[in-house]
Amino acid sequence: MRLRGFRASIQPALLAFCLTGLLFGHSPTHAERPATQYLQPQTRQPAVSRDVSLMSTRVVFSIVLDQASLHSTSSSSSDKNTARAEKAIDQAINEFQRIETLMSEWRPDSEVSRINHNAGGDAVEISVELFRLLQAARQISELSDGAFDISFRSAGKLWDFRKATVPEQEQIQQAIQHIDYRRLELSAPAMDSEASGQDELPKARISHPNTSIGLGAIAKGYAVDRAAQLFRQAGFDAFSINAGGDLYVAGRKDENLWKVGIQHPREYDRLLANLPASNLAVATSGDYERFFIHNDQRYNHIINPHTGYPANGCQSVTIMAERAFWADALATAVFVLGPSKGLALVEKMNGVETLIVDDQGEVVMSSGFQSTL
Ligand code: AMP
Ligand code: MG
């Protein structure tokens, strides 16, 4: 479904939202990354919240406390609940840090760096957890015809957003020859064979020395999913995790516990939509997150693997899905595919919806997105 003039129709809701004074965004500089999603709790229920910097992003955890314990006459019951929520948030913070240590391509001792260092050489043993995420990344590459490709890195690393310079065309042409997700070979031990011990680990190998991988478009979403899992295991069913462009909210739908505000890609103090959400991940990829302008041309951090240049068919892409790692990776994939191919991909997928702002600032929505507004 293509909607023109959508912006006008959402003005009243938007104004009401802005007047609540809940926006904490501000105009970004080139190096800064504005929050792309805002959360508005819809009830006065008390919550335990923490605002921390993790994976180079501002992350806000919030756990809503159980009504029953709050109305209990015993103050120790509500103290206990607060302490449990604080502990669950501590665990979620540790989990983000653990995932960064495991998956960051910038940390020389991470599993991802070990795969990169051995590119063109031997396969390296990796955790089952990373193996599964790499399998998912491959699946998204296949679904998106290589628009999402974690081996974007050979071209990606030529772009320096602090120096704000455009690489030589020749360098880019050479670099894109080394982008190919099929060069990452994944092998798992045969779990059912008697010969394979339970302790055997899966392996990964990059088949060419000039190819390397980076999980910047999927790892943060994965960390959000893991934090959500920890909160549920701790017995909480109403919470939010807001990691910049990647967010998950849990809670009762009918009471509209959460509303997710989707940032306007050009006017940072405005929202495009205000989405009631429950048990849902919402991720946004935007060309305003990291970019520079050179000769009137905007260059952003999402690379089209086929050209080696930043993708420029969209200003922003928001994806709703059940899991945050899917939403995260698909937002990047659809951003590269552009509005028409991106929308076609989302319409084929169950349980996934999108709101795309194209390069002209027009809003395009998948059929199920509008019905949620
Ligand atoms: P996101 O903000 O989730 O769209 O992720 C952007 C980040 O993903 C970039 O900073 C890169 O680390 C990485 N990236 C850029 N282009 C691609 C691509 N085509 N496929 C996969 N990852 C990418
Ligand atoms: Mg992403």
Side-chain angles (χ1 to χ4, degrees), residues 216-218 246 285 327-332:
I218 190 169
D246 301 300
S285 287
D328 187 4
L330 279 175
T332 311

mmCIF file of all heavy atoms in Angstrom, residues 216-218 246 285 327-332, ligand 2:
data_model
loop_
_atom_site.group_PDB
_atom_site.id
_atom_site.type_symbol
_atom_site.label_atom_id
_atom_site.label_comp_id
_atom_site.label_asym_id
_atom_site.label_seq_id
_atom_site.Cartn_x
_atom_site.Cartn_y
_atom_site.Cartn_z
ATOM 1 N N GLY A 216 27.411 -5.565 12.302
ATOM 2 C CA GLY A 216 26.819 -4.300 12.745
ATOM 3 C C GLY A 216 25.331 -4.149 12.465
ATOM 4 O O GLY A 216 24.652 -3.344 13.107
ATOM 5 N N ALA A 217 24.797 -4.923 11.526
ATOM 6 C CA ALA A 217 23.384 -4.764 11.171
ATOM 7 C C ALA A 217 22.475 -5.800 11.822
ATOM 8 O O ALA A 217 21.275 -5.828 11.538
ATOM 9 C CB ALA A 217 23.227 -4.844 9.650
ATOM 10 N N ILE A 218 23.032 -6.646 12.681
ATOM 11 C CA ILE A 218 22.199 -7.721 13.246
ATOM 12 C C ILE A 218 22.504 -8.013 14.719
ATOM 13 O O ILE A 218 21.608 -8.448 15.468
ATOM 14 C CB ILE A 218 22.341 -9.015 12.374
ATOM 15 C CG1 ILE A 218 21.330 -10.092 12.766
ATOM 16 C CG2 ILE A 218 23.747 -9.575 12.414
ATOM 17 C CD1 ILE A 218 21.249 -11.258 11.778
ATOM 18 N N ASP A 246 16.959 -0.209 17.627
ATOM 19 C CA ASP A 246 16.398 -1.544 17.826
ATOM 20 C C ASP A 246 15.664 -1.610 19.151
ATOM 21 O O ASP A 246 16.230 -1.279 20.190
ATOM 22 C CB ASP A 246 17.509 -2.597 17.831
ATOM 23 C CG ASP A 246 18.276 -2.593 16.538
ATOM 24 O OD1 ASP A 246 17.651 -2.826 15.494
ATOM 25 O OD2 ASP A 246 19.483 -2.313 16.565
ATOM 26 N N SER A 285 16.353 1.534 10.388
ATOM 27 C CA SER A 285 17.636 1.909 9.786
ATOM 28 C C SER A 285 17.412 3.240 9.092
ATOM 29 O O SER A 285 16.480 3.368 8.295
ATOM 30 C CB SER A 285 18.071 0.881 8.731
ATOM 31 O OG SER A 285 18.503 -0.299 9.345
ATOM 32 N N ALA A 327 14.161 -8.037 12.738
ATOM 33 C CA ALA A 327 13.774 -6.653 12.434
ATOM 34 C C ALA A 327 15.024 -5.836 12.088
ATOM 35 O O ALA A 327 15.041 -5.082 11.113
ATOM 36 C CB ALA A 327 13.031 -6.046 13.620
ATOM 37 N N ASP A 328 16.080 -6.008 12.899
ATOM 38 C CA ASP A 328 17.327 -5.273 12.697
ATOM 39 C C ASP A 328 17.893 -5.552 11.299
ATOM 40 O O ASP A 328 18.134 -4.637 10.491
ATOM 41 C CB ASP A 328 18.316 -5.717 13.800
ATOM 42 C CG ASP A 328 19.600 -4.912 13.810
ATOM 43 O OD1 ASP A 328 19.720 -3.956 13.030
ATOM 44 O OD2 ASP A 328 20.497 -5.243 14.617
ATOM 45 N N ALA A 329 18.091 -6.849 10.997
ATOM 46 C CA ALA A 329 18.713 -7.211 9.722
ATOM 47 C C ALA A 329 17.811 -6.856 8.536
ATOM 48 O O ALA A 329 18.292 -6.368 7.504
ATOM 49 C CB ALA A 329 19.033 -8.704 9.716
ATOM 50 N N LEU A 330 16.510 -7.066 8.693
ATOM 51 C CA LEU A 330 15.607 -6.759 7.569
ATOM 52 C C LEU A 330 15.516 -5.264 7.301
ATOM 53 O O LEU A 330 15.351 -4.839 6.151
ATOM 54 C CB LEU A 330 14.209 -7.313 7.840
ATOM 55 C CG LEU A 330 14.034 -8.795 7.533
ATOM 56 C CD1 LEU A 330 12.642 -9.254 7.957
ATOM 57 C CD2 LEU A 330 14.241 -9.075 6.036
ATOM 58 N N ALA A 331 15.626 -4.446 8.346
ATOM 59 C CA ALA A 331 15.598 -2.992 8.126
ATOM 60 C C ALA A 331 16.783 -2.592 7.244
ATOM 61 O O ALA A 331 16.640 -1.789 6.310
ATOM 62 C CB ALA A 331 15.635 -2.244 9.457
ATOM 63 N N THR A 332 17.945 -3.179 7.504
ATOM 64 C CA THR A 332 19.132 -2.889 6.685
ATOM 65 C C THR A 332 18.919 -3.416 5.256
ATOM 66 O O THR A 332 19.209 -2.718 4.273
ATOM 67 C CB THR A 332 20.383 -3.540 7.332
ATOM 68 O OG1 THR A 332 20.399 -3.190 8.710
ATOM 69 C CG2 THR A 332 21.655 -3.069 6.664
HETATM 70 MG MG MG B 2 19.945 -3.387 10.996
#
